[in-house]
Amino acid sequence: ALDARWEKTLQGSFNKLLVIDDLADRNHCCDVLLDHNIVLEMDERYVGLTPSTTVKILGPNFALLQPEYEKAHKVIAPSYGPVKQILINFGGAANVTLTSKVLQALSKTDTSSMHMDVVLNSESFEYDIVCSLIRNFESASITSSVPNLIPLLQSTDLAIGASGVACLERICLGIPSLVFSVAKNQTPIAEALNSEKQVVYLG
C-alpha cells in the first residue's frame, strides 16, 4: 500500500525514483512508473495518479521476466500442434484449490496420450490431494520447487494456471494457456489478454 505519501518522505535521498505498480489504485510521486501488465485502456490507467512529469513505462514490452526467458524466446518454437503435454501451475496462490479441480476435470476426459506436469508447493494444503489425484493418470508428475519453469515449458503444449506474471512468461514462449484469476488485480489482466486472444480466460 505504498503511495505518494511514502514516496514524498524519500525526497532528498535519491536522484530519480522508479515506482513499480500493477494496481493503479493510488497516487504516486515519482520520476518513472512501470506497469508491465496489459489491461484495457492502459494509456488512461494512471491519469491523475502521477505528476505530469512522470515517465510512464507501460505494457508487456517491459515485462519483468528473468533474463532466461529472453534467451528461451529465441530458441523455443511456439506450440501449435496437438496437446501431448500439459503444465498445471497456479503459483503461490494461498487457499486456492484450482490444481485439484483442474485434475478432477481432466480425469473425466481421455488423457491417455498426454502427460501432466503439475507444479505445486509441497506446503500447499491441497498437496496430498493432488498427489492422490495424479495417480489416476497414465502419465503425470508433480514438482514442488523449481527456480523457473523454462525446463518444463520447453515441452509444454498447453498451460493451465493463474493470470499473473507466469502468464507473461507463457506468452513470451508462445505457449497456449487456459487461465483463471486468483486475485482481484488479476481479473482485468486476464480479460485484456483474452480480448487480445493471447489466452483463454475461464473466470
Side-chain angles (χ1 to χ4, degrees):
L2 299 177
D3 61 12
R5 294 168 297 173
W6 184 78
E7 292 150 10
K8 286 176 181 177
T9 67
L10 296 179
Q11 290 179 347
S13 302
F14 58 81
N15 291 321
K16 299 286 184 181
L17 180 64
L18 164 69
V19 164
I20 300 171
D21 190 359
D22 65 354
L23 298 175
D25 64 352
R26 69 202 65 177
N27 292 312
H28 288 293
C29 184
C30 57
D31 298 288
V32 182
L33 184 137
L34 168 63
D35 182 343
H36 71 180
N37 292 297
I38 178 171
V39 297
L40 300 174
E41 299 179 348
M42 186 68 170
D43 293 338
E44 306 298 320
R45 202 170 185 219
Y46 291 92
V47 171
L49 296 180
T50 63
S52 60
T53 54
T54 297
V55 175
K56 300 180 187 70
I57 303 175
L58 308 175
N61 284 336
F62 306 98
L64 296 171
L65 304 184
Q66 293 172 297
E68 290 81 2
Y69 282 90
E70 180 183 11
K71 298 173 185 175
H73 173 77
K74 297 175 181 177
V75 297
I76 297 178
S79 179
Y80 297 113
V83 176
K84 295 182 179 180
Q85 192 143 337
I86 297 176
L87 174 64
I88 303 168
N89 172 41
F90 287 94
N95 301 320
V96 172
T97 58
L98 283 169
T99 301
S100 54
K101 288 177 180 176
V102 165
L103 287 171
Q104 287 166 352
L106 288 171
S107 69
K108 299 174 183 177
T109 66
D110 180 10
T111 59
S112 57
S113 63
M114 303 177 192
H115 175 77
M116 310 291 158
D117 281 314
V118 179
V119 179
L120 181 67
N121 191 314
S122 59
E123 301 298 318
S124 168
F125 67 92
E126 67 170 343
Y127 186 80
D128 291 340
I129 300 170
V130 168
C131 286
S132 177
L133 287 170
I134 64 172
R135 297 191 189 105
N136 298 326
F137 296 92
E138 291 185 24
S139 179
S141 61
I142 185 166
T143 305
S144 61
S145 179
V146 290
N148 66 56
L149 294 172
I150 291 175
L152 291 173
L153 290 170
Q154 285 179 327
S155 55
T156 294
D157 301 305
L158 174 68
I160 304 173
S163 175
V165 173
C167 217
L168 296 178
E169 294 172 350
R170 297 188 295 261
I171 291 170
C172 174
L173 302 184
I175 296 165
S177 298
L178 306 177
V179 304
F180 297 83
S181 58
V182 298
K184 186 178 179 180
N185 64 302
Q186 290 186 2
T187 300
I189 298 167
E191 290 173 345
L193 289 171
N194 186 77
S195 71
E196 295 282 338
K197 294 182 170 49
Q198 297 291 327
V199 303
V200 174
Y201 177 41
L202 299 180

